[in-house]
Amino acid sequence: MHRAVVWKVEDGARFHFRRWGDECVAYDNATGDTHLLDPVAAELLVAVRQAAATTEELVQRVASRLGTGAGSDLFSALESALGDFERLALVRRVAQ
Amino acid sequence: MKVADLGAAELGARLKGSGLYLRTGPFVSRIRSSISSVSEGIGLLYADYPLAEQNDFADFHVGLSRPPTIRRWFHPQAVFDFDGHVPFKPLPLDQAYPLFEWGLNWCVSSHAHQYLMIHAAVIERDGHAAILPAPPGSGKSTLCAALVNRGWRLLSDELALIRRNDGYAVPLPRPVSLKNESIGVIRGFEPSAVINREVRDTIKGTVAHMKPPTDSVSRANETAKPAWVIFPRYRKGAAASLQTRSKGGALMAVADNAFNYSLLGLAGFHMLADMIHACDCHDFSYGDLDQAVEAFSALQPPAP
Amino acid sequence: MTPAPELVSRVLRDPPSAATLGLAEWDLLVRQARHAQLLARICVVLADRGLLQRVPEQPRTHLEAARVVSDKQDRAVRWEVNRIRHALERLGMPIILLKGAAYVMAGLPPARGRLFSDVDILVPKEQLAGVEAALMLHGWAATQHDAYDQRYYRTWMHELPPMQHIKRQTVIDVHHSILPETARLHPDPAKLRQAAVPLEGHDGLKVLAPADMVLHSATHLFHDGELEHGLRDLADLDGLLRHFGRSESFWRQIVPRARELDLSRPLFYALRYAAATLGTPVPGDTMQAAAAGRPPGALLALMDALFARALAPDHPSCRGRFTGPARRLLYVRAHWLRMPPLLLARHLMHKALVPAKDE
C-alpha cells in the first residue's frame, strides 16, 4: 500500500529571503548555504516552511499562492524540486 | 613620513633589522627581509606609501627569507612567513617579490573578517565605487590598471573590503598585479606607468606589478559607496558591451568570489544583499581598452 | 634569548589586567594568542566582563575578527551534529558527544571562542561496525589510506580511523573508549556511557556527566600527547572546572570518580596545572584528596618543568631553549603511556621511516 510522503522543514526560522522581481535568494542559517530560487521553488519553500505537508497539499498551496491551476505539470515540477531540496537538506521526509 | 623619504640604504637596513612598519589602507604590516629584490620592489612600488606613525603595533608581522638548507647554494629559495608560521611552500628566490605581494594578500584575506572581503578590483569616480569581481583570467587586473590610468581612483586590484556597519568600500590600494600579455598591453596603453621587473615561470606565468597612482595612495582613507557590480570578461576582438545582470545571479556570483562570505553567516548574507540591492549589476565584455574606458566613463550611478 | 612575558594566561587568569596593557604588549598578546588558538577566547572573556570596548582599536579588531571565525565554527558544529544524528538515526541508540561538540551543544563555557571543527562521538564497541557503515552510507569516508595507519587505529587505538565527509570536508572521530586499549590506565567506557546525561532539547544526544567530562578533558591533555595546543586545552579545563565547580557536589564527586575510572593521575595534573597557570579556584580539601594521584617527587619535578614549557603559547616569543625538546619528550611520554614499549618502538620506527606526506 502506497504511503504518502510528508515533507517538513526543521526549524523554519533558519531561512532568510531576499527578492528582486521574479528572483528569490534564500539563505539557510543552519547550513550556511545560499540558494537562488525560481518563483515556483521559492513558493514551495515558503509553503513547506509554513507546515509539514504531503506533495499533494504542497501543490495546492503553491498553486493558490501563484494563482495558477494545480495541474500535473506543477505536481511533477514540485516533486523534482522537493528531491533537490532533500539533497540540499532544506527539507526532510517524515513518516506519516 | 613616506617610504621614498627613507632612501634605499635606510629602507634596506630597516627590512634587515627590526622591520619596516608600512601602512597600506587600514593595515600596518611589519616587514622583514634581507632579500634584495624585495627591498628594491618595495622601494620602487611603495615609494608614496606612508610609514606607520608608531612602531608598537602591526596587524601583520611578515618575513621573506632564504631558508637555511643545503638547497640555498644551488637552488636558492625564498620563504614567506606570517609571524613564524609558513602558509606556502618556498618558491625560487627570483620570485621573492611576487611572493611578498601574494603573502600580504593572504594575510588580509585570511584574517580581516571585520570586512566582507570579495576577490575583486575596486575603483572609484565622483564618490561612486565600481566592484569588479572576477575569477583569474577574466582580464580584471588589466582593465583595472587601464582605468586607474584614466581618471578612476584605485581602491584595490584584488581585495574589495566592504565595511560591516555601512557597506562602504574601504580602500586598500596596492601595486596592481599584471600577468603575461597584460604587462606589455599596459606598457603600450600608458607608457608612463611604472612597472617593476618581470618575473618569469611563476605559478601564474610571467608577473609584474604596476605602481598605483600617487593620488590613490594619498587618498587611501577615503571610503566610497558601491554603485556598480561589474563582471568583466576580456574577449579578443569583442566590442565593449554592458549587459544588465539579474540581482539574484549577481549575488550568487559575488558570493562565489568572496573570501569570507560563508564565515560571516547571516550578517554576510544581509551585507551582500544590501550591496547588490543598491548597485547596478552588469556583465561587461571588451576587447579593447580604449573602448572599455569609454564605456566606463559613460556609467551613471543608480538613482538613489 | 630570554622569552618575552607570556601574556595569554595572564589575561585569562586576570581579565581586568588587560586594561593596563600598552599597545606594544597588545601586539605581543595578539600574536601569542593567535598561535595558541586563544584569540577568540580572549575576545569572549573580555566581552563578558564589559572590557572589550576598552581595548585599543587595532588589537580589538583582531579579537573580533577571530570571534567571527569561532562563531562560524559553532554554527558548523551544530549542523554537523544534526547530520550525524540524521545518519545514525536508524541505529536507535543514543550518541554521546565528546569534547568540542559536547561543549557547543551543551552551551558550556569552553565552547565560546573555540576554533575547531572535528566532532567526536562515543559509542559502544560492539556498535562500531554499524556506526561506520551508517556513516559511509551518508557520505563519510576513511581518511587514513595508509594500510599501517588503518591497522594502527583498528588494532591499538580507541577510535575508528578519522572519517571525512566527502562534500562538507568535516571530520568525525568515532570512539569506543577515551583511551587506547593498550594504555596503562583503563577507564571503563561502560561506566562513562551509563552516567552520560541527555542533552536537553536534542532527542538521542547525550554528553558525559560533569565529572566525567572534566576527567576526559584532563586525560586528553595530560595522557594523550596532544600538546600542540596545550594552553588552549588547559583553558577548556579551566572553563569546565569554573562552570561545574559552582556546585559543591561536583567537588565532592570528582576525586572518587577519578579513582573509580582509574584516572587519578590526569586529574591531579589537571587541577595542579590549571590552578597554577590559570588560577582555577579548586577547594583545598579537593586538592588534598586529589594528591592521591600525585606521581613520585622526582617525576613530579620533571613534569612541572616539562609542562611549564609545553603549556605556554606556541609562539616564537615564548620559546625558550627547551620548548621543542619538552614537547617532543611529552609526546614520547604520552605514547609510552598509551602503548607498551615494544609497540611504541614499532610505531616510532614506522613514523621515522615513512616521510610525512606533503599537505
Side-chain angles (χ1 to χ4, degrees):
Chain A
M1 167 75 199
H2 175 77
R3 276 175 58 191
V5 176
V6 172
W7 301 95
K8 82 174 270 208
V9 169
E10 272 177 55
D11 176 23
R14 69 194 233 207
F15 294 112
H16 298 261
F17 298 93
R18 294 290 283 261
R19 290 166 195 273
W20 292 282
D22 261 2
E23 278 187 321
C24 175
V25 176
Y27 178 76
D28 181 349
N29 202 30
T31 61
D33 294 335
T34 308
H35 305 282
L36 178 59
L37 306 174
D38 64 28
V40 174
E43 289 308 336
L44 175 62
L45 187 56
V46 170
V48 70
R49 193 171 73 138
Q50 212 169 44
T54 62
T55 309
E56 289 77 5
E57 288 164 341
L58 290 170
V59 170
Q60 293 303 331
R61 282 188 210 164
V62 170
S64 82
R65 292 181 69 105
L66 290 174
T68 62
S72 63
D73 283 359
L74 187 62
F75 187 91
S76 56
L78 293 198
E79 220 174 20
S80 122
L82 284 164
D84 291 340
F85 283 7
E86 189 183 26
R87 271 189 293 285
L88 295 167
L90 303 178
V91 300
R92 60 179 299 182
R93 299 165 192 258
V94 288
Q96 176 75 302
Chain B
M1 189 159 184
K2 293 178 179 174
V3 170
D5 301 332
L6 290 177
E10 173 63 14
L11 172 62
R14 289 204 184 183
L15 286 166
K16 279 184 195 145
S18 60
L20 177 76
Y21 283 75
L22 180 71
R23 176 171 284 286
T24 53
F27 308 112
V28 171
S29 302
R30 175 193 177 215
I31 305 156
R32 303 211 295 175
S33 182
S34 53
I35 298 173
S36 57
S37 63
V38 173
S39 176
E40 284 157 19
I42 292 175
L44 177 68
L45 300 173
Y46 288 87
D48 302 327
Y49 283 70
L51 302 177
E53 304 77 41
Q54 290 165 317
N55 288 357
D56 43 12
F57 189 94
D59 294 285
F60 309 117
H61 293 255
V62 303
L64 267 295
S65 57
R66 301 176 59 174
T69 62
I70 187 81
R71 286 175 66 97
R72 73 180 285 143
W73 302 111
F74 39 99
H75 292 297
Q77 289 186 312
V79 62
F80 173 86
D81 79 272
F82 170 63
D83 202 15
H85 164 69
V86 177
F88 324 110
K89 287 186 178 163
L91 290 178
L93 183 60
D94 183 49
Q95 302 181 17
Y97 187 77
L99 177 61
F100 160 70
E101 289 288 345
W102 298 334
L104 270 194
N105 286 343
W106 175 86
C107 284
V108 174
S109 62
S110 21
H111 297 102
H113 306 304
Q114 63 270 35
Y115 303 108
L116 169 64
M117 291 183 280
I118 305 160
H119 186 202
V122 190
I123 53 175
E124 175 264 358
R125 195 194 60 198
D126 301 332
H128 304 292
I131 314 265
L132 279 54
S138 55
K140 164 202 65 162
S141 285
T142 321
L143 179 60
C144 171
L147 290 165
V148 302
N149 279 302
R150 293 289 183 274
W152 288 77
R153 175 163 71 103
L154 176 71
L155 272 69
S156 176
D157 90 310
E158 284 283 344
L159 277 159
L161 306 179
I162 309 298
R163 198 156 62 186
R164 297 183 66 173
N165 59 348
D166 60 8
Y168 274 59
V170 172
L172 178 59
R174 295 252 311 279
V176 178
S177 144
L178 298 172
K179 293 187 287 280
N180 303 319
E181 304 82 51
S182 3
I183 303 169
V185 168
I186 294 300
R187 281 191 205 279
F189 179 79
E190 182 50 63
S192 73
V194 176
I195 298 175
N196 76 338
R197 186 175 63 83
E198 294 175 17
V199 177
R200 290 170 205 291
D201 302 321
T202 75
I203 190 166
K204 304 184 182 189
T206 299
V207 298
H209 285 83
M210 184 191 84
K211 186 179 178 217
T214 304
D215 170 69
S216 301
V217 176
S218 60
R219 294 170 60 197
N221 54 2
E222 285 178 37
T223 57
K225 190 172 187 334
W228 306 280
V229 174
I230 299 173
F231 298 88
R233 188 150 158 241
Y234 171 80
R235 287 211 327 267
K236 202 173 160 63
S241 131
L242 275 170
Q243 306 278 341
T244 300
R245 177 176 292 209
S246 75
K247 301 230 173 191
L251 183 145
M252 299 302 281
V254 175
D256 271 347
N257 281 287
F259 289 100
N260 64 344
Y261 169 70
S262 77
L263 270 184
L264 295 173
L266 184 57
F269 173 67
H270 285 311
M271 281 182 77
L272 184 51
D274 288 348
M275 182 179 100
I276 292 291
H277 185 73
C279 283
D280 281 346
C281 304
H282 301 286
D283 284 309
F284 178 63
S285 51
Y286 73 100
D288 173 81
L289 287 176
D290 287 312
Q291 279 186 27
V293 168
E294 210 172 301
F296 267 69
S297 51
L299 283 170
Q300 294 297 320
Chain C
M1 193 178 93
T2 325
E6 201 273 87
L7 296 168
V8 180
S9 57
R10 189 210 287 183
V11 168
L12 289 176
R13 197 168 52 228
D14 178 19
S17 73
T20 66
L21 298 177
L23 206 50
E25 287 171 301
W26 270 109
D27 181 274
L28 190 60
L29 172 57
V30 167
R31 296 161 68 190
Q32 291 178 347
R34 197 190 298 287
H35 276 70
Q37 294 203 353
L38 283 166
L39 201 48
R41 178 72 56 84
I42 287 179
C43 182
V44 169
V45 163
L46 295 178
D48 281 354
R49 288 165 182 75
L51 296 166
L52 194 57
Q53 292 315 310
R54 289 163 63 185
V55 176
E57 189 187 345
Q58 302 99 305
R60 193 176 69 234
T61 302
H62 287 271
L63 296 176
E64 288 171 339
R67 182 73 191 274
V68 167
V69 181
S70 73
D71 285 353
K72 159 75 182 175
Q73 301 280 30
D74 186 281
R75 295 191 301 275
V77 165
R78 286 174 191 281
W79 180 244
E80 199 56 28
V81 168
N82 174 301
R83 292 295 83 194
I84 291 166
R85 174 87 195 86
H86 177 71
L88 302 182
E89 208 162 31
R90 292 196 174 186
L91 297 179
M93 59 165 194
I95 296 156
I96 300 175
L97 300 171
L98 301 174
K99 304 190 214 173
Y103 306 154
V104 166
M105 298 304 289
L108 293 168
R112 308 189 54 218
R114 198 169 198 273
L115 303 171
F116 67 94
S117 52
D118 296 2
V119 172
D120 296 82
I121 64 172
L122 178 71
V123 301
K125 194 174 179 188
E126 56 276 13
Q127 296 270 17
L128 276 184
V131 168
E132 188 177 20
L135 288 173
M136 284 167 75
L137 193 64
H138 286 85
W140 279 267
T143 56
Q144 306 286 334
H145 299 296
D146 178 316
Y148 173 84
D149 284 338
Q150 277 279 344
R151 204 175 67 226
Y152 168 73
Y153 270 99
R154 288 178 193 277
T155 316
W156 296 319
M157 291 300 287
H158 49 304
E159 58 194 309
L160 289 176
M163 295 172 80
Q164 185 169 41
H165 195 272
I166 46 169
K167 278 205 203 122
R168 298 191 299 276
Q169 305 291 309
T170 44
V171 173
I172 180 169
D173 281 331
V174 180
H175 304 249
H176 59 82
S177 173
I178 61 167
L179 275 177
E181 309 217 308
T182 53
R184 298 176 174 212
L185 304 180
H186 297 284
D188 181 355
K191 287 182 184 165
L192 295 172
R193 292 201 311 270
Q194 226 157 37
V197 292
L199 198 54
E200 216 174 300
H202 299 273
D203 283 348
L205 294 180
K206 288 184 165 186
V207 295
L208 296 180
D212 292 359
M213 200 184 277
V214 167
L215 289 167
H216 180 215
S217 172
T219 306
H220 178 62
L221 175 54
F222 292 104
H223 207 83
D224 219 14
E226 302 202 8
L227 284 155
E228 201 187 339
H229 299 296
L231 183 58
R232 182 201 63 191
D233 293 347
L234 192 69
D236 286 351
L237 260 172
D238 171 71
L240 291 178
L241 288 167
R242 286 176 195 265
H243 178 78
F244 295 132
R246 288 178 308 188
S247 134
E248 219 182 293
S249 63
F250 168 80
W251 292 115
R252 277 200 311 276
Q253 288 161 8
I254 186 89
V255 175
R257 183 64 171 169
R259 196 179 319 118
E260 190 183 350
L261 290 170
D262 199 13
L263 296 173
S264 299
R265 181 67 55 86
L267 176 66
F268 170 77
Y269 285 142
L271 299 181
R272 179 181 184 83
Y273 297 122
T277 310
L278 296 171
T280 315
V282 181
D285 47 349
T286 303
M287 197 64 114
Q288 240 168 15
R294 179 192 171 101
L299 180 55
L300 182 58
L302 174 65
M303 286 302 160
D304 281 354
L306 290 176
F307 279 119
R309 292 185 174 87
L311 292 173
D314 187 16
H315 182 262
S317 67
C318 304
R319 270 174 219 151
R321 278 175 53 205
F322 302 111
T323 310
R327 272 179 222 274
R328 270 196 299 282
L329 251 181
L330 286 166
Y331 180 76
V332 172
R333 170 185 156 274
H335 269 263
W336 181 65
L337 286 171
R338 61 186 186 185
M339 286 178 147
L342 182 62
L343 276 186
L344 176 63
R346 273 165 63 188
H347 178 66
L348 291 179
M349 185 68 87
H350 182 82
K351 286 284 166 206
L353 293 177
V354 180
K357 293 182 192 77
D358 281 348
E359 290 288 288

